[in-house]
Amino acid sequence: MTDVDWDDELVPDDGGRTRAPELDCPVEVALAAISGRWTTLVLRELMSGPLSFGELRDRLPALSAKVLTDRLRELEARDLLERRTLRGFPVRTSYDLTACGQALRPLLIELYRTGNTLAVLRQDLGR
Amino acid sequence: MTDVDWDDELVPDDGGRTRAPELDCPVEVALAAISGRWTTLVLRELMSGPLSFGELRDRLPALSAKVLTDRLRELEARDLLERRTLRGFPVRTSYDLTACGQALRPLLIELYRTGNTLAVLRQDLGR
DNA sequence: CCGCATCCGATTGGATACTG
DNA sequence: CAGTATCCAATCGGATGCGG
């Protein structure tokens, strides 16, 4: 019995030859990085430079403090951003994307492009 | 008070100027298309041509019938694939990506590429 | 100002057993 | 062969209120 015929474009090397969602598959790594509601929006805001907790809240007013904290901690744990507590009173905190975090920029652009393409194609279908 | 300074690369037009996860934002449209565990794997399998329910189960043995059905129905509802029931006994069903579904190929490739990049960058950090 | 603690309803993924 | 029907534990997102 021959094995599956892999598509070289979709699965260029062994890392993607999985039959289940393995944590070390590159696709799962990327999905994990942007997973969770609001995450891509937080990333978008930080792409142009570091922001404080309050500045992020100002830019995303409907995002609760709890969920924002969750997202920031997740991104920090994945080495996508760095948290810096600046001394003074009141306390200020700076969130800054790492090189890893900046590496997500092309993916965000591709998400936008793909979403637009889907919208256009669906329009052509009459929905 | 001036408004936010949008990054033209990340947010090329009004569709992305959102302060919350709106359903019609292109990024959210694309995220919705690939959302849910196993979804990218199902898409990967279908990218090279139509498959039956059983063929999908063979290729993704750890995926339960329920979740597979869920994913297929979701993708169908989003016009990403077409379901065709072929007469005969036993019944055969064919799942085939639409033009919309095929439009996700570049995104899957970008997910893979980005995931690999993250892995390499983290390796350089010693983790 | 920057969070954390708690609670809670809703959604999710998976296991198991059954049907046209 | 191709699903459906239940059930269930775990996770998630959001609201509210408190603390350093």
Side-chain angles (χ1 to χ4, degrees):
Chain A
M1 167 190 181
T2 63
D3 212 352
V4 184
D5 50 320
W6 297 103
D7 183 323
D8 273 9
E9 218 179 12
L10 288 173
V11 190
D13 55 50
D14 279 2
R17 254 86 122 172
T18 64
R19 303 186 174 284
E22 318 272 0
L23 291 188
D24 58 330
C25 167
V27 171
E28 299 298 326
V29 170
L31 285 175
I34 59 169
S35 73
R37 204 155 125 86
W38 294 95
T39 302
T40 54
L41 289 168
V42 171
L43 287 170
R44 181 193 71 184
E45 296 304 324
L46 292 174
M47 279 290 164
S48 9
L51 293 174
S52 69
F53 192 86
E55 287 169 331
L56 283 166
R57 294 218 65 186
D58 287 348
R59 284 170 163 79
L60 304 171
L63 172 54
S64 75
K66 184 230 180 193
V67 174
L68 177 54
T69 304
D70 287 353
R71 293 300 169 265
L72 292 171
R73 292 292 181 275
E74 272 177 36
L75 293 172
E76 192 186 5
R78 295 186 205 281
D79 296 314
L80 299 172
L81 66 76
E82 235 182 350
R83 178 168 157 237
R84 205 158 319 185
T85 309
L86 309 173
R87 289 305 297 149
F89 191 83
V91 177
R92 284 207 143 244
T93 315
S94 167
Y95 294 94
D96 197 359
L97 290 186
T98 61
C100 281
Q102 295 286 354
L104 295 175
R105 170 178 281 262
L107 177 55
L108 294 186
I109 293 171
E110 180 59 30
L111 281 168
Y112 197 99
R113 203 196 58 75
T114 299
N116 254 333
T117 301
L118 289 186
V120 170
L121 288 174
R122 282 170 180 155
Q123 215 168 358
D124 292 353
L125 291 177
R127 351 161 109 216
Chain B
M1 169 191 179
T2 65
D3 213 351
V4 185
D5 51 319
W6 297 102
D7 183 324
D8 273 10
E9 218 180 13
L10 287 174
V11 190
D13 55 49
D14 277 2
R17 254 86 120 171
T18 65
R19 304 186 174 281
E22 318 271 0
L23 290 189
D24 58 329
C25 166
V27 172
E28 298 297 326
V29 170
L31 286 174
I34 59 169
S35 74
R37 206 155 123 87
W38 294 96
T39 301
T40 54
L41 289 167
V42 171
L43 287 170
R44 181 193 71 186
E45 295 306 322
L46 292 174
M47 280 289 163
S48 11
L51 293 174
S52 69
F53 191 87
E55 286 169 332
L56 282 166
R57 294 217 66 186
D58 287 348
R59 284 171 163 78
L60 304 170
L63 172 54
S64 75
K66 184 229 180 193
V67 174
L68 177 54
T69 304
D70 287 353
R71 293 299 169 266
L72 293 171
R73 294 290 184 277
E74 272 177 35
L75 293 172
E76 193 188 3
R78 296 187 204 279
D79 296 313
L80 299 172
L81 65 76
E82 235 182 350
R83 177 167 159 239
R84 205 159 319 184
T85 310
L86 309 173
R87 290 301 297 146
F89 190 82
V91 177
R92 284 211 142 241
T93 315
S94 168
Y95 293 94
D96 197 359
L97 290 185
T98 61
C100 282
Q102 294 287 354
L104 295 175
R105 171 179 282 263
L107 177 54
L108 294 185
I109 293 171
E110 180 59 30
L111 280 168
Y112 197 99
R113 202 196 58 75
T114 299
N116 253 334
T117 301
L118 289 186
V120 170
L121 288 174
R122 283 170 179 156
Q123 215 167 358
D124 293 352
L125 292 177
R127 348 162 110 216

